[in-house]
Amino acid sequence: MSKEVKSVDYGLEKIFEGAQDFLPLLGTDYVELYVGNAKQAAHYYKTAFGFESFAYKGLETGSRDVVSYVVKQDKIRLVLTTPLNSQSPINDHLRKHGDGVKVIALWVDDATQAWKETTSRGAKSFMEPTVEKDENGEIIRSGIYTYGETVHIFVERKNYNGVFMPGFVKWESEYNPDTLGLKYIDHMVGNVGWGEMNQWVKWYEDVMGFENFLSFDDKQIHTEYSALMSKVMSNGNGRIKFPINEPAEGIKKSQIEEYLDFYEGPGCQHIAVATDDIISTVKGMRARGVEFLTTPPDTYYLAAPERLAAHDHELKEDLETLKSLGIMIDADDEGYLLQIFTRPVEDRPTLFFEIIQRMGAKGFGAGNFKALFESIEREQALRGTL
Ligand code: FE2
């Protein structure tokens, strides 16, 4: 396979040519966050993001050490986990990183094979293939470490009919706010340390069979003050996309450095979730208290129609409505996309969410990077971390 980096190449057919098929991935299975108070976090994701109660394990189900609430919206499942005593190693993770993503779980047909293929290619094991059973069948999980203390768990669930996994029961709640149209995870971004991006690009190529199908250097992603570099890794069928960011030298501290300082190491920077109707999704989220980055200036919206026209696309949504909600617009040859970023969802300036609606475009909003970073820098200045 070609190792040549295809800079700003949006052709998905390239993925099928280059990526290896020793690790077939069916999709994202779940994302597990270690949090300080899972009960309250679950309430936040239900209320503010429109997730629904889905599954639970805790003292009542015989889990003495950890409690997990699973919330779901269409294909997205978040597992929110908190230790129940001081002995749990989860406390170490929380002490160091604060709330954040521990597990990016991937749905596979054969978790044993996935573990063998990846560990034989150099992955560090997190969990050997393990069978978990209950009256609804069995699940096999295995896991490997990726950047920082983040892990990928492979989930094989073809012989399981229960609600989520053995150990969990259906979570019935009397509080069921309306969902907000979030459908699936579009991509998840990792921040790695200085000079580490290429080593993780190679790791995803060698260990997971992914291909680097899009790259941005610090000449493309910079503001007056700071810069970063980013490479997008994708698996063979394009369902799993992991951009990897590394800080670059600038006059002031970049948002990636700020993240690394507060997360105290590499980790998941943002989870991008897709919607078919970003206007109603963002209206709902704003009404329910989700905080978004500040809206780009008027000049950004004045220039938007021209940027779309340069790629022969016409905006279907009302520009004034997008502007009033702070939604950004980017275009490439195949279409355009609409996106907006939340503020960090915990007190440390670390993990945040992106809401994205793709109207044909396969990129990640490169045309918005400058406006976005200037917005983040305004907030960094307020935090005294620029
Ligand atoms: Fe993103």
Side-chain angles (χ1 to χ4, degrees), residues 187 189 243 270 272 339 341 354 364:
H187 59 276
V189 179
H270 74 267
Q339 63 184 170
F341 298 84
E354 169 184 352
F364 294 84

Side-chain angles (χ1 to χ4, degrees), residues 99-330:
D99 287 11
V101 172
K102 175 62 180 179
V103 180
I104 302 169
L106 302 166
W107 177 29
V108 297
D109 248 343
D110 187 338
T112 307
Q113 190 64 18
W115 184 84
K116 283 183 185 159
E117 294 285 0
T118 50
T119 53
S120 71
R121 287 172 168 82
K124 182 182 163 198
S125 177
F126 171 72
M127 175 189 195
E128 289 187 14
T130 306
V131 182
E132 294 156 286
K133 289 184 185 181
D134 67 12
E135 67 278 13
N136 298 303
E138 68 172 42
I139 275 192
I140 303 176
R141 291 193 299 159
S142 63
I144 57 172
Y145 279 95
T146 175
Y147 46 78
E149 293 193 289
T150 316
V151 303
H152 290 310
I153 286 186
F154 302 113
V155 185
E156 173 185 333
R157 51 172 70 254
K158 59 178 182 280
N159 296 315
Y160 192 68
N161 297 315
V163 56
F164 180 55
M165 284 198 290
F168 284 82
V169 296
K170 188 168 171 33
W171 176 19
E172 305 274 9
S173 172
E174 286 173 20
Y175 175 61
N176 300 298
D178 288 343
T179 59
L180 287 173
L182 300 178
K183 297 210 165 297
Y184 59 89
I185 292 177
D186 186 275
H187 59 276
M188 288 183 67
V189 179
N191 282 344
V192 300
W194 289 94
E196 290 177 1
M197 179 177 65
N198 286 330
Q199 121 195 10
W200 285 105
V201 165
K202 189 166 160 34
W203 187 90
Y204 275 102
E205 286 174 346
D206 294 349
V207 170
M208 306 270 290
F210 280 38
E211 182 167 1
N212 170 214
F213 84 107
L214 206 53
S215 298
F216 305 98
D217 64 23
D218 48 343
K219 289 178 196 65
Q220 290 162 289
I221 315 183
H222 69 96
T223 65
E224 195 183 340
Y225 297 127
S226 66
L228 67 87
M229 296 184 278
S230 187
K231 290 188 176 179
V232 184
M233 305 308 294
S234 174
N235 79 319
N237 60 23
R239 289 184 200 174
I240 309 293
K241 291 186 283 292
F242 295 144
I244 299 168
N245 294 335
E246 156 185 342
E249 290 291 348
I251 299 170
K252 295 192 178 181
K253 185 184 274 196
S254 82
Q255 49 160 314
I256 310 300
E257 276 179 276
E258 184 195 39
Y259 176 99
L260 294 169
D261 284 354
F262 280 91
Y263 199 70
E264 298 191 16
C268 176
Q269 179 209 36
H270 74 267
I271 304 172
V273 286
T275 169
D276 288 340
D277 184 353
I278 196 166
I279 289 173
S280 87
T281 297
V282 172
K283 264 186 195 162
M285 291 175 78
R286 281 193 182 279
R288 297 191 198 175
V290 176
E291 298 170 328
F292 292 94
L293 291 178
T294 50
T295 303
D298 284 357
T299 49
Y300 170 89
Y301 287 97
L302 286 170
E306 211 171 290
R307 284 170 46 211
L308 283 168
H311 292 277
D312 289 329
H313 307 307
E314 208 174 310
L315 190 65
K316 292 194 175 68
E317 294 74 16
D318 176 50
L319 188 65
E320 283 304 314
T321 306
L322 296 176
K323 183 177 157 185
S324 72
L325 293 167
I327 296 166
M328 299 193 289
I329 309 139
D330 192 29

Side-chain angles (χ1 to χ4, degrees), residues 353-367:
F353 282 75
E354 169 184 352
I355 315 301
I356 184 168
Q357 181 179 353
R358 293 191 181 276
M359 302 294 284
K362 297 197 175 76
F364 294 84

